[in-house]
Amino acid sequence: MAESRQNPARHDPSEPGRPVVVWFRDDLRLADNPALAEAARTQQPLVCVFCHDEASPGLRPLGGAARWWLHGSLAALDQALRKLGGQLVMLRGPAREIIEQLASACNAGAVYWNRRYGAAERSIDESVKTALRAKGIEAASFNGHLLHEPWTVRSRTGQPFRVFSAFWRTASALGTPPRPLAAPHRLSFHALDVAQLPAVGLTDLQLEPSNPDWAGGLREAWIRGEPGARPALDRFLETALTGYAERRDRPDRAATSRLSAYLRFGNISVRQVWHAASAAAAAQAPAAQRGLEKFLAELGWREFSYHLLFHNPELACRNLQPRFDGMPWRHDPHALAAWQRGQTGYPLVDAGMRELWATGYMHNRVRMIAASFLVKHLLIDWREGEAWFWDTLIDADPANNAASWQWVAGSGADAAPFFRIFNPVLQGERFDPDGAYVKQWLPELASLPASRIHRPWEAGEEALAKRYPPRLVLHDAARERALAAFRSVG
Ligand code: FAD
């Protein structure tokens, strides 16, 4: 294990012409890509490959929206490599076998990749590394995904962290993250003969939906891959960084970066974001300082989630606090379906769930409220919600999604206490005071005045014309039921 985190002896340039394979995974970009940069440094011809692996045991299949994002990211990366005279080779099958097969087929001298942090992924990477080295092929991995890798942030006693503030203080004290690497301007490529390899075209992977094609709203909302990432970052830095601390909780404002899917698939690196935000704040000083600190702390939550995933590989399926194993969750397919479709009768929850369905994204504050509603008001196991988000979010992330759901449920590390139960009406009135966000996603409520938009049942049946559903549960009663359930496992 320890060996896999080190970068062994560099490629021996005395063997001219032996290609270097760059194995792309969650790092679908050219800029600040340490594996690619190291491969370019050898000046050997490159083979750039993506292996679509749905066969290896333990790997969680991507959800529909993430598959859609992956398609766009791969297409963009292939296009960028073609501009440099190469291409992205797509192979399908279990990575353990395929990468070794590829390395042998092209007589590679080395294979480079950026590291992943899930247990199944690490196990695959470890065995690929062992197999390559056994054949005398250099195998080296790099950090392309995080500011600080999970094992580098340790408490004084050497233990992993369970509390965010202590984690982030310690991580921040490790110093400024390395400056991002420039995208290579020139690369040479090996002419790969794919005849003996399970090569496929991008469309063969069937990552995009057809029949029905439900991705129209996603296409309208997003430019996938590296070409969309930098403009999104620049827009955020120019228009929203300064007010980020004050406005980030407002779903009716464009007040956050919307970089999560780009970070998830590595269309931009967290180091690029960190340095660009720090430089922009320095230029806008002192007004942007508070916004910067808050924004970097959100990147810190991403780091913390990966720290938790690395040290708790079953983060998406096991309560970090065993007390929650006995929770009397309700089996209620009708309520679950109403939540999924945005038909709970609580406008902020429903607006969030419909934004998610339409665009593959939901604002963070609304994620917290919608998730809390499922777990506490409906008393449905957080894993049902985690699975729905996994399928519908373009940024569905193995660390952030699981850690956030456990945080909301109260079962996680440094979690919101279970007994603190959001009131979706008061949250709506506070964070969407004019109802602009709700009206955007629930057109059937568009005619209600701001004073009724988060409590439409007070507007009377006539105003709703029965187009909006009654509340699935009443807040006070649901709250009491949740607290009683929690006490029962106390
Ligand atoms: P910004 O506010 O601009 O933040 C910048 C970046 O910091 C984000 O892009 C993201 O990478 C990171 N970040 C921000 N907040 C968090 C957080 N609470 N935890 C971890 N990282 C954070 N985020 C995902 O990336 N993928 C998920 O699958 C995911 N699932 C979530 C599920 C629930 C129930 C909740 C409550 C939150 C979830 N989040 C997830 C965290 C957060 O909601 C999103 O990262 C954020 O809304 C993305 O919007 P943004 O890029 O504009 O964020």
Side-chain angles (χ1 to χ4, degrees):
M1 185 66 239
E3 192 185 33
S4 72
R5 298 183 209 136
Q6 290 158 7
N7 300 326
R10 299 191 159 199
H11 183 75
D12 179 2
S14 65
E15 292 183 79
R18 281 187 79 182
V20 176
V21 173
V22 183
W23 177 18
F24 286 88
R25 300 103 65 84
D26 294 335
D27 52 350
L28 303 175
R29 64 177 182 273
L30 294 189
D32 195 33
N33 187 321
L36 177 65
E38 184 61 16
R41 203 195 58 80
T42 66
Q43 298 188 348
Q44 306 286 9
L46 305 189
V47 174
C48 293
V49 64
F50 177 80
C51 176
H52 190 59
D53 184 357
E54 291 185 313
S56 293
L59 286 182
R60 186 177 187 182
L62 291 183
R67 286 168 69 88
W68 176 82
W69 191 277
L70 175 63
H71 180 106
S73 301
L74 292 172
L77 180 60
D78 182 47
Q79 217 175 10
L81 290 169
R82 283 178 193 273
K83 278 192 190 147
L84 295 172
Q87 72 174 104
L88 185 63
V89 176
M90 315 263 180
L91 301 175
R92 178 159 49 192
R96 270 191 186 92
E97 292 154 32
I98 301 289
I99 297 298
E100 193 186 340
Q101 211 182 325
L102 166 67
S104 299
C106 67
N107 189 28
V111 182
Y112 295 161
W113 63 81
N114 296 310
R115 288 188 277 274
R116 304 180 288 191
Y117 303 93
E121 289 83 353
R122 283 189 282 135
S123 155
I124 291 168
D125 294 355
E126 195 56 36
S127 52
V128 170
K129 196 169 267 191
T130 306
L132 292 173
R133 287 183 180 166
K135 288 186 161 174
I137 300 169
E138 183 195 342
S141 66
F142 303 84
N143 172 19
H145 205 59
L146 296 173
L147 296 171
H148 306 287
E149 293 188 288
W151 52 90
T152 64
V153 190
R154 292 242 158 228
S155 69
R156 272 198 210 115
T157 58
Q159 296 303 308
F161 283 96
R162 307 267 298 184
V163 175
F164 171 73
S165 53
F167 166 84
W168 190 230
R169 216 178 307 117
T170 306
S172 302
L174 293 174
T176 306
R179 295 205 71 78
L181 305 160
H185 292 302
R186 207 173 312 127
L187 294 170
S188 66
F189 292 92
H190 173 77
L192 181 72
D193 177 6
V194 294
Q196 305 301 317
L197 294 165
V200 288
L202 178 55
T203 46
D204 298 329
L205 298 180
Q206 298 184 329
L207 297 170
E208 292 199 307
S210 61
N211 208 9
D213 173 9
W214 44 256
L218 282 69
R219 273 194 295 274
E220 264 172 47
W222 303 97
I223 298 170
R224 293 169 283 177
E226 197 170 15
R230 190 70 215 198
L233 174 61
D234 291 342
R235 178 205 60 80
F236 170 69
L237 298 180
E238 279 160 29
T239 63
L241 178 63
T242 297
Y244 181 78
E246 294 76 28
R247 288 196 279 275
R248 59 181 287 272
D249 277 322
R250 294 282 299 265
D252 56 340
R253 304 276 170 87
T256 68
S257 71
R258 295 170 73 95
L259 282 171
S260 47
Y262 298 108
L263 285 164
R264 156 66 181 87
F265 286 95
N267 307 140
I268 196 166
S269 80
V270 66
R271 282 189 293 251
Q272 287 174 284
V273 176
W274 196 98
H275 279 281
S278 302
Q284 298 166 27
Q289 202 49 42
R290 225 169 87 73
L292 176 70
E293 268 164 41
K294 194 70 198 154
F295 182 65
L296 296 185
E298 294 311 314
L299 299 180
W301 275 100
R302 176 176 179 272
E303 299 279 309
F304 184 53
S305 300
Y306 273 90
H307 187 82
L308 290 176
L309 175 67
F310 180 80
H311 292 293
N312 306 276
E314 294 179 305
L315 191 63
C317 50
R318 177 172 290 185
N319 295 305
L320 288 187
Q321 294 183 38
R323 170 187 189 180
F324 279 77
D325 293 348
M327 266 303 262
W329 301 119
R330 294 170 57 246
H331 175 69
D332 186 342
H334 168 72
L336 177 60
W339 176 80
Q340 290 170 336
R341 293 187 190 129
Q343 298 284 351
T344 68
Y346 284 90
L348 192 60
V349 174
D350 292 341
M353 298 307 291
R354 294 198 209 168
E355 179 188 19
L356 174 62
W357 187 250
T359 69
Y361 177 86
M362 196 197 300
H363 183 275
N364 178 60
R365 166 80 21 193
V366 189
R367 290 187 203 202
M368 285 161 58
I369 295 160
S372 169
F373 188 87
L374 181 79
V375 173
K376 297 178 185 178
H377 286 76
L378 301 181
L379 208 56
I380 291 178
D381 193 328
W382 62 266
R383 283 161 284 217
E384 296 276 9
E386 197 274 345
W388 182 253
F389 273 29
W390 182 260
D391 194 30
T392 52
L393 277 172
I394 48 169
D395 63 28
D397 185 285
N400 289 356
N401 197 37
S404 298
W405 271 96
Q406 293 231 32
W407 184 90
V408 171
S411 61
D414 200 8
F418 187 88
F419 56 77
R420 208 173 286 155
I421 296 178
F422 284 128
N423 180 328
V425 176
L426 300 183
Q427 289 285 312
E429 289 172 347
R430 181 164 169 208
F431 294 111
D432 182 30
D434 309 322
Y437 175 75
V438 161
K439 287 183 181 181
Q440 183 183 356
W441 297 108
L442 306 182
E444 66 266 46
L445 298 186
S447 62
L448 292 193
S451 60
R452 290 285 174 271
I453 190 86
H454 293 290
R455 44 181 90 229
W457 50 90
E458 289 181 6
E461 275 193 18
E462 220 174 282
L464 293 184
K466 299 202 168 113
R467 278 175 296 141
Y468 187 63
R471 285 165 288 176
L472 262 186
V473 287
L474 297 184
H475 173 71
D476 288 340
R479 186 172 179 280
E480 284 315 312
R481 181 174 68 180
L483 292 176
F486 184 57
R487 278 195 299 272
S488 76
V489 296

